[in-house]
Amino acid sequence: MVLSMHKRSNKLFFLFLFFTLLFSCENDEELLKDITFVDCDACTADEPFTADIRIKLSDTYKLGSANEIIFLDIYEGNLEDEVHFTSYQTTSTETTFNLPINKKYCITATYYIDNKTYIAVNSVTPRVKYNESSCDEPCYYTAPRSLNLRLKHTK
């Protein structure tokens, strides 16, 4: 008797869980559209073909390095595809690249600290978005606009 009540309660639980999941899901795109914050200064009336991507880098002096140069390599697609797009050297903690939209880019930042090599890797796919209501006029903007290539720790 107790076993059959236990099975029945399990069935009811899973049936309840199924219907809860089925009817509680919302369209993620609509939800994100409602909560997206648009920088109206970054909007344009014409659809852009490129996007400025701000890359955040670690401060090499704070990491104890005498070599302040950070080497950046940008690859089209996945890193393992090895389709090299461009290389760049910087001493800044932030730099900006202008990249074509709707393509995936993998970016590496190579740091030399205490005779050791550290490589930070991240990827970005800049896309064009259209917003009708956040600014005075309907406009186009690109997202994402930043990429983190800072080192978390070096030891």
Side-chain angles (χ1 to χ4, degrees):
M1 176 80 175
V2 173
L3 186 59
S4 79
M5 286 181 62
H6 182 67
K7 286 183 180 180
R8 184 171 179 226
S9 66
N10 279 344
K11 286 181 184 178
L12 287 173
F13 172 74
F14 285 114
L15 187 64
F16 172 77
L17 183 64
F18 172 76
F19 281 110
T20 302
L21 291 175
L22 181 68
F23 292 109
S24 67
C25 295
E26 295 180 16
N27 185 348
D28 290 339
E29 191 172 308
E30 287 298 318
L31 182 64
L32 289 175
K33 184 177 164 183
D34 292 340
I35 61 170
T36 301
F37 298 104
V38 178
D39 179 8
C40 293
D41 294 333
C43 276
T44 61
D46 298 323
E47 185 174 355
F49 297 105
T50 62
D52 286 330
I53 306 297
R54 187 181 66 212
I55 299 173
K56 299 174 187 175
L57 301 163
S58 293
D59 185 353
T60 56
Y61 284 118
K62 287 183 180 177
L63 297 172
S65 173
N67 182 8
E68 62 185 42
I69 299 173
I70 303 167
F71 298 90
L72 299 170
D73 287 303
I74 300 178
Y75 299 89
E76 277 188 36
N78 295 324
L79 181 62
E80 54 270 7
D81 295 340
E82 297 182 16
V83 180
H84 194 259
F85 184 71
T86 190
S87 293
Y88 185 74
Q89 296 178 13
T90 186
T91 57
S92 177
T93 57
E94 196 173 282
T95 189
T96 303
F97 281 99
N98 188 277
L99 298 173
I101 60 166
N102 296 327
K103 284 187 179 182
K104 180 179 181 180
Y105 295 93
C106 189
I107 303 173
T108 64
T110 305
Y111 299 86
Y112 296 101
I113 302 166
D114 296 330
N115 294 324
K116 294 180 185 172
T117 303
Y118 297 91
I119 301 175
V121 180
N122 207 339
S123 65
V124 65
T125 305
R127 300 212 186 271
V128 173
K129 308 245 179 175
Y130 183 73
N131 188 291
E132 296 176 353
S133 58
S134 296
C135 301
D136 295 336
E137 297 288 324
C139 63
Y140 294 95
Y141 65 98
T142 57
R145 290 189 288 266
S146 67
L147 188 69
N148 185 359
L149 285 173
R150 294 180 283 207
L151 295 176
K152 297 196 190 286
H153 29 88
T154 58
K155 294 183 183 183

